[in-house]
Amino acid sequence: MTDLADVGPGSVRPLRPGTTPRLRLAPQPAQETLPTGPVAPDVPLRRRRWVRGYIRWAVGLDVLAGVLGSLLALGVRLGGGPFSDRYFEYAEITTRYIALSVITPALWVAAIWWGGGYQRRRLGSGADEFQALIRADVALLALIGFLSYATKSEIARWYVLIEIPSVALLSLLLRYRLRRWLHREREQGRCLERTVVVGRLDGAADLIEQIGRSRELGMEVVAVCAAGLQETDDGVTMISGVPVMRYPEEAIAAVDLVNAEVVAVSGHPDLTGHELRRFAWALEERDVDLIVSPGILEVAGSRLTIRPSVGLSLLHIERPEMSGVRRAAKNTLDRVITLLAILVAAPLLLLIALAVCLDSRGPVLFRQTRVGERGEEFTMLKFRTMVRDADRLQVDLTGGLDVNKRLFKLQRDPRVTRVGRILRRYSLDELPQLANVLQGRMSLVGPRPSLPAEVADYEQDETRRLRVRPGLTGLWQVSGRSDLSWEESLRLDLWYVDNWSPVLDLQIMARTARAVVKGRGAY
């Protein structure tokens, strides 16, 4: 293999004769043949145009948040703003507050910049962008407090505690709206970074699949350099519809040819240690980002930390924990929110019970045995949405219809009553499960509660779903509900079990409201 250190911007290694036709690419406006000299200096300017626009919008929104937060605090301090009569009475005292309000937007943007909040790698995906705002908020509070003490300025604590947190909260809300716009653009195939995947055949294929499934990452795989390939009859090799340049040592040539912005390395034995370091140097001169996939799937970033030392960095994976303080926190959160929900929804529960009684004959509640935490069975409660003896009628409905293989559900089930269709459409039939949450048999958020017949057929990986309590809602609820296949539902449940956190529960509950209103996958 050619030493990657020999491949620099001024000495791009040409492809082997006959390898260029393997790249079935769309015509490139910048170049149509492999470059033989340094990358043109204007190439980075033609790329990532959306990044510059996103950063300008982010800075503008942060300035707006600083102005609005300052006006809010100043209005409270002056009792009506700088045009009120009281302002002239306290002009000497309030001047310093006006001065602080004027410089706050600039200080806020500077604090975010200092914390890395405008770095390209933090924008558009993950929690780093929002964490940078929180760090900036804490830093700005500490800075103003220090300056107030050092200069002996008489600035009220409550003024600072209104202004700075208000600025941070407004920035978070505005940035969230900006990110939602970016995600919509990426779903339409815009604002994506051209990516070259390098690695072994199996690892590259898995990485391409993960990138394609996570569109919010903003990556578009345009070429692959993979080892272990077999040429097809026509000399063209494709992985998941992505053109392949056969040898990984041709990665630099592929980057120049397709004008890539990111290189993602996945499990290639020749791209480790010094070779990977030299490869990174060559990409650095081209303003191309390097991403290395550790080959660890379905692990949240909060569980991954780097243990650095001189000449060596180790990736540490935290064990998922559902015991001790974390378990107590989840139980407390479940019961507090459940009690509040029951008090608020009590009139609605009575109306639904009355509607079920008047619509069809039978009990108000439907009871079914489900399997909970560690395989313990319990009786799950729902409002009845089907006619009586629906279980006996199921045998006549299984032939040739669109059903979930693990949990029998039909898109147009004739057993569902008129009221039942409305309840299912908005998931109101699930409300009696709040009683199961109070009993400690279920949680507000967790995997879908399983039937005993399903658990009897579980394989080893699937039994991990039973490590936590089943949930009234979960990732399956906010990701498509009955429209999901069993494999997709299982993947989401296992991800939740391994990466649970109180913040994740709150996020899922917030997304549940939106999913219920839309009614997608509910039948």
Side-chain angles (χ1 to χ4, degrees), residues 195-493:
T195 303
V196 173
V197 172
V198 181
R200 296 190 62 84
L201 177 60
D202 51 353
D206 289 341
L207 184 57
I208 292 173
E209 181 183 354
Q210 292 291 327
I211 291 175
R213 191 163 55 201
S214 303
R215 200 67 168 174
E216 68 276 4
L217 291 176
M219 300 167 65
E220 179 185 20
V221 181
V222 295
V224 183
C225 295
L229 292 169
Q230 296 293 328
E231 289 189 20
T232 59
D233 295 336
D234 60 358
V236 177
T237 306
M238 309 285 285
I239 297 179
S240 301
V242 179
V244 178
M245 184 177 292
R246 179 165 183 157
Y247 300 103
E249 60 264 31
E250 295 169 344
I252 291 296
V255 168
D256 292 336
L257 178 61
V258 302
N259 195 19
E261 302 161 89
V262 179
V263 172
V265 177
S266 175
H268 192 275
D270 295 324
L271 279 178
T272 57
H274 293 296
E275 293 297 326
L276 183 61
R277 187 183 186 191
R278 293 166 182 167
F279 186 51
W281 289 343
L283 296 178
E284 178 185 354
E285 296 181 8
R286 290 166 167 79
D287 191 31
V288 175
D289 293 336
L290 175 63
I291 297 175
V292 179
S293 171
I296 303 170
L297 302 179
E298 310 297 350
V299 177
S302 58
R303 291 177 55 205
L304 301 177
T305 54
I306 300 294
R307 291 187 175 182
S309 62
V310 178
L312 179 66
S313 295
L314 301 176
L315 184 65
H316 179 77
I317 304 176
E318 297 289 345
R319 296 191 305 271
E321 295 183 7
M322 283 295 293
S323 59
V325 176
R326 290 170 62 87
R327 184 183 182 89
K330 184 174 178 66
N331 292 340
T332 302
L333 183 67
D334 282 344
R335 284 178 165 80
V336 170
I337 295 179
T338 299
L339 284 173
L340 293 176
I342 290 176
L343 292 176
V344 172
L348 178 61
L349 293 172
L350 293 175
L351 288 175
I352 293 175
L354 180 61
V356 171
C357 285
L358 297 177
D359 183 53
S360 62
R361 294 165 51 183
V364 173
L365 295 178
F366 171 72
R367 292 173 169 82
Q368 189 176 46
T369 300
R370 295 293 180 103
V371 180
E373 187 179 16
R374 305 202 179 276
E376 297 181 2
E377 295 185 353
F378 69 98
T379 301
M380 188 184 72
L381 302 177
K382 283 186 175 184
F383 281 121
R384 181 176 58 84
T385 58
M386 291 185 175
V387 298
R388 286 196 304 179
D389 301 326
D391 291 338
R392 290 192 304 170
L393 299 175
Q394 177 175 320
V395 179
D396 301 329
L397 299 173
T398 55
L401 293 176
D402 181 17
V403 300
N404 186 313
K405 295 180 179 179
R406 291 281 182 153
L407 181 60
F408 181 78
K409 269 199 174 183
L410 304 179
Q411 291 187 357
R412 293 177 179 83
D413 196 326
R415 301 172 298 167
V416 178
T417 63
R418 291 172 300 177
V419 171
R421 293 189 189 282
I422 299 175
L423 297 181
R424 289 186 171 210
R425 171 68 172 78
Y426 298 104
S427 297
L428 296 175
D429 59 319
E430 312 281 355
L431 289 178
Q433 293 174 30
L434 293 172
N436 294 123
V437 177
L438 283 181
Q439 294 171 356
R441 312 297 300 202
M442 291 182 63
S443 175
L444 286 176
V445 181
R448 182 184 60 80
S450 302
L451 291 166
E454 293 176 52
V455 176
D457 294 332
Y458 274 2
E459 297 180 1
Q460 182 176 358
D461 290 349
E462 296 168 331
T463 58
R464 189 168 178 81
R465 297 176 71 253
L466 305 179
R467 287 177 57 89
V468 299
R469 294 174 184 172
L472 190 149
T473 185
L475 286 175
W476 49 274
Q477 173 87 346
V478 300
S479 304
R481 291 188 269 188
S482 298
D483 285 342
L484 298 176
S485 66
W486 167 252
E487 290 74 17
E488 292 170 328
S489 299
L490 176 63
R491 179 179 62 84
L492 292 172
D493 284 343

Side-chain angles (χ1 to χ4, degrees), residues 9-64:
S11 58
V12 178
R13 183 179 183 275
L15 299 174
R16 291 185 177 85
T19 48
T20 301
R22 291 194 185 99
L23 281 172
R24 182 176 292 171
L25 299 172
Q28 300 295 319
Q31 52 193 20
E32 295 183 357
T33 59
L34 189 66
T36 57
V39 177
D42 63 335
V43 166
L45 297 179
R46 294 199 304 267
R47 301 180 305 186
R48 301 191 178 101
R49 193 168 298 170
W50 70 268
V51 175
R52 298 193 296 274
Y54 190 95
I55 292 176
R56 285 196 294 267
W57 270 101
V59 173
L61 292 176
D62 292 334
V63 170
L64 177 61

